[in-house]
Amino acid sequence: MQTNKTKLTLLYTSDIHGNAMPILYGTNEAADIGLAKYATVVAQARQQKDHLLVLDNGDLIQGTPLMTHYVKEYTDQINPMVGIMNQIGIDAGVIGNHEFNFGSQVLADAIASSNYPWISANILDEATGKPEFGPPYIIKELSNGVRVAIVGVTTHYIPNWESPNHIQGIQFADAFTTLQEWVPYIRETEQPDILIASYHGGFECDLETGEPTESLTGENQGYQMCEEIPGIDILLTGHQHRKLTGMINDVLVIQPSNNGQMYGEIQIDLENQKDGWTIINKQAALHTLENVASDTGIIHYMEELEASTQKWLDQPIGYIDGDMSIDDPLRARITKHPFIQFIQQVQMDASGADISVTALLNNNTTGFSNTVTMREVVSNYMYPNTLVVLELTGADIKAALEKSAKYFTLDEDGKIIVNPTYLTPKPQHYNYDIWEGIDYTINIANPPGSRIEYVSHHGKPLENDGTYHVVMNNYRASGGGNYDMFKGKPIMKDIQQDTVELIAAYFEQHPTVKADVGENFVVKAE
């Protein structure tokens, strides 16, 4: 006889970013992160819970030196992140934007070797308009008779970041309108007791007030989904790397940080009423992996690749004459730093361009010690970006400089600080650019849009209608970070080696690099 009440537990991860092992590769220190520990959590839950679903919400296969090394040396073997998820036994995965970073073949191989579906309602084959990588949704019927629908969508902003050759033939339909179409269809056709939307995207508005927290570009649409699409019971989110749980318009929402630091747990209580199972309570919680032992089977499974990765990371590849370390990231953005100068030189050397753009990617960047190892290189440059040379006008360059200048603001004492909009809801330090090959002055005392007081190239004022060749990473060249002035500009050269490879190649040609600084910009407040 069927009982009147039942429970369902859902565990999920998002933005694991290649963190399988419980270590920080930059320092090799032990850390309470990664899928090896999470595997233990899931195994224990399977013993304790009668009804369990386990999901992943994307950005799984990119982000650590382990995965960089795998792609360079071990692609004849199963993708290790997928291999672990197969062992954990997850029910489904969603595609994240970083799944495309290593190219279409690496992603296709990962999906082909998965023992679980990748649900993807809005990533479509351009020719047919049908889902490219997996079903738009799945139905899980549990032993207690509860039917759970899980529909997956991904931020459609990917073409603004990704190398065009990595997403050739793929259409990214609007995530909101896709859910708007699929949710009522699933409700009517499948009549599930629970409908879960797993969205690799985040929130564009404050969860409590509904006030916009970012420009409404369509990158994050979670709030709109909850407010305007009836029928969603639970919205799993990610992408922004935030820690949050809450309720929006009776939709339970959650986001479990990044890098395998936390996982989400949702408890759903149901009661069997006249018209079937009805949700009577739903709660979300975030959990860390502190005091969780690593799964020995996962550790053993990763042994060979991990040992090879560690050997690769410890290889010295070059030497620094002088000091190229970073101890104050804000100062390294306000005043020219030798590490930034080095990255600019690598980009200009590889491309032949005489103007270069780069960024200090995050506030954990430490620069280089006197003996540079691969560990330092991949810790400082964690994205597999390639380089693109664009032809830009002087007006484009000035617009980009004004965009970068918005990164700064002044505190009450007139001191230069980081604009809070670059810190919350997600840190975006990588969206402040530093330029080489031009001389320029930023005055933060001026209002945004009027902060660039001087720009010259080879000693001559930049001409608005003049054309200049500028090298930058592919993320920025496609307009990533809302640098719309770069979108659709002529591509003069496309360099299909990632920056880690280019840095290593530069050291091969220049085994010892002097930590020099050529002052070419001023950031002031007067």
Side-chain angles (χ1 to χ4, degrees):
M1 182 176 175
Q2 193 176 47
T3 57
N4 192 44
K5 292 184 179 181
T6 191
K7 291 178 180 288
L8 168 66
T9 300
L10 186 153
L11 300 180
Y12 99 107
T13 48
S14 190
D15 299 86
I16 293 293
H17 283 292
N19 283 278
M21 306 297 285
I23 59 171
L24 301 171
Y25 283 101
T27 60
N28 237 12
E29 295 174 352
D32 291 316
I33 63 172
L35 291 185
K37 284 178 174 282
Y38 179 65
T40 299
V41 171
V42 177
Q44 291 173 347
R46 290 196 193 285
Q47 294 177 341
Q48 299 165 0
K49 310 289 185 181
D50 291 330
H51 308 293
L52 180 71
L53 286 177
V54 187
L55 305 173
D56 180 73
N57 192 51
D59 278 4
L60 175 68
I61 66 173
Q62 178 278 333
T64 55
L66 175 85
M67 290 308 300
T68 299
H69 187 56
Y70 162 77
V71 168
K72 291 181 184 301
E73 301 291 340
Y74 282 86
T75 50
D76 59 326
Q77 299 182 16
I78 186 174
N79 190 299
M81 303 306 290
V82 168
I84 294 173
M85 287 303 198
N86 285 345
Q87 292 184 51
I88 289 174
I90 70 172
D91 293 285
V94 170
I95 293 172
N97 54 294
H98 284 284
E99 255 68 76
F100 296 93
N101 286 172
F102 291 129
S104 56
Q105 191 59 55
V106 171
L107 175 56
D109 289 346
I111 293 173
S113 57
S114 300
N115 294 341
Y116 54 90
W118 294 64
I119 48 177
S120 177
N122 72 314
I123 303 179
L124 312 174
D125 181 288
E126 207 165 47
T128 66
K130 295 180 179 179
E132 171 77 3
F133 295 108
Y137 69 92
I138 60 170
I139 299 292
K140 301 290 290 189
E141 186 155 349
L142 308 181
S143 58
N144 54 7
V146 173
R147 285 170 56 81
V148 183
I150 306 160
V151 57
V153 288
T154 302
T155 175
H156 57 264
Y157 219 59
I158 290 172
N160 292 283
W161 309 313
E162 193 54 67
S163 294
N165 58 311
H166 288 177
I167 54 175
Q168 194 168 6
I170 298 172
Q171 176 191 352
F172 296 89
D174 185 282
F176 170 79
T177 56
T178 298
L179 268 190
Q180 202 173 33
E181 293 169 4
W182 277 107
V183 168
Y185 172 85
I186 295 167
R187 280 289 183 192
E188 183 178 347
T189 306
E190 304 288 355
Q191 298 187 349
D193 302 300
I194 305 168
L195 193 148
I196 299 166
S198 191
Y199 170 44
H200 190 83
F203 296 95
E204 73 283 27
C205 297
D206 182 273
L207 270 62
E208 307 249 336
T209 66
E211 291 296 314
T213 54
E214 60 181 54
S215 57
L216 300 181
T217 59
E219 177 182 350
N220 299 298
Q221 302 170 293
Y223 192 89
Q224 185 185 16
M225 290 171 177
C226 295
E227 285 287 338
E228 299 183 23
I229 304 177
I232 300 173
D233 295 310
I234 297 161
L235 181 67
L236 309 179
T237 69
H239 184 57
Q240 292 174 312
H241 300 179
R242 298 168 68 183
K243 303 172 187 175
L244 61 85
T245 61
M247 195 79 73
I248 303 172
N249 193 27
D250 200 36
V251 180
L252 185 66
V253 301
I254 183 170
Q255 191 170 139
S257 186
N258 64 309
N259 294 345
Q261 302 174 72
M262 309 186 86
Y263 64 95
E265 179 179 8
I266 292 172
Q267 297 287 349
I268 307 168
D269 295 305
L270 301 104
E271 187 172 56
N272 196 10
Q273 299 176 351
K274 291 181 180 179
D275 53 351
W277 289 106
T278 299
I279 297 173
I280 57 174
N281 189 41
K282 50 187 176 182
Q283 294 182 321
L286 299 176
H287 303 290
T288 70
L289 293 169
E290 292 178 22
N291 303 316
V292 175
S294 294
D295 183 285
T296 54
I298 301 298
I299 295 294
H300 177 71
Y301 173 73
M302 294 297 297
E303 195 170 22
E304 179 187 347
L305 178 57
E306 175 65 15
S308 180
T309 301
Q310 291 291 346
K311 183 178 178 181
W312 173 65
L313 288 174
D314 286 332
Q315 292 175 357
I317 64 167
Y319 303 91
I320 303 298
D321 178 8
D323 185 2
M324 210 176 272
S325 61
I326 298 171
D327 54 17
D328 185 343
L330 179 60
R331 177 166 290 278
R333 294 184 178 100
I334 291 175
T335 306
K336 188 71 169 290
H337 191 280
F339 176 76
I340 295 295
Q341 176 110 6
F342 170 77
I343 298 297
Q344 306 279 32
Q345 187 57 51
V346 169
Q347 294 190 170
M348 294 164 84
D349 185 74
S351 67
D354 67 347
I355 302 177
S356 176
V357 179
T358 193
L360 195 60
L361 298 179
N362 60 46
N363 279 0
N364 298 320
T365 303
T366 58
F368 290 154
S369 63
N370 293 116
T371 300
V372 182
T373 62
M374 283 302 299
R375 189 181 305 278
E376 287 187 322
V377 174
V378 296
S379 296
N380 281 282
Y381 214 104
M382 66 292 302
Y383 302 116
N385 290 330
T386 57
L387 296 182
V388 177
V389 178
L390 296 184
E391 184 175 80
L392 302 176
T393 65
D396 294 330
I397 293 172
K398 290 176 184 177
L401 287 168
E402 289 287 2
K403 167 72 177 168
S404 281
K406 292 180 181 178
Y407 176 80
F408 298 113
T409 190
L410 301 178
D411 66 11
E412 294 177 354
D413 300 321
K415 183 180 176 183
I416 298 173
I417 60 171
V418 178
N419 187 329
T421 62
Y422 283 79
L423 300 174
T424 57
K426 174 183 177 179
Q428 297 180 58
H429 301 293
Y430 51 82
N431 280 332
Y432 167 67
D433 282 341
I434 301 167
W435 291 68
E436 182 72 32
I438 58 173
D439 293 285
Y440 59 99
T441 300
I442 301 175
N443 191 347
I444 309 305
N446 293 336
S450 305
R451 289 178 167 176
I452 306 306
E453 293 187 334
Y454 172 82
V455 191
S456 69
H457 179 243
H458 295 327
K460 297 179 181 179
L462 209 66
E463 298 178 8
N464 282 343
D465 56 356
T467 55
Y468 306 87
H469 291 180
V470 182
V471 60
M472 62 189 73
N473 68 48
N474 63 285
Y475 168 78
R476 187 69 81 237
S478 60
N482 297 323
Y483 280 79
D484 295 338
M485 69 291 298
F486 297 153
K487 286 184 179 179
K489 292 303 158 73
I491 296 173
M492 309 311 293
K493 188 180 290 187
D494 193 353
I495 299 159
Q496 287 302 309
Q497 285 177 289
D498 68 42
T499 305
V500 168
E501 292 177 281
L502 294 173
I503 291 171
Y506 188 87
F507 274 118
E508 285 182 14
Q509 296 296 317
H510 311 276
T512 300
V513 175
K514 189 169 179 60
D516 275 335
V517 171
E519 300 287 357
N520 70 301
F521 69 88
V522 174
V523 180
K524 63 180 184 179
E526 59 186 38

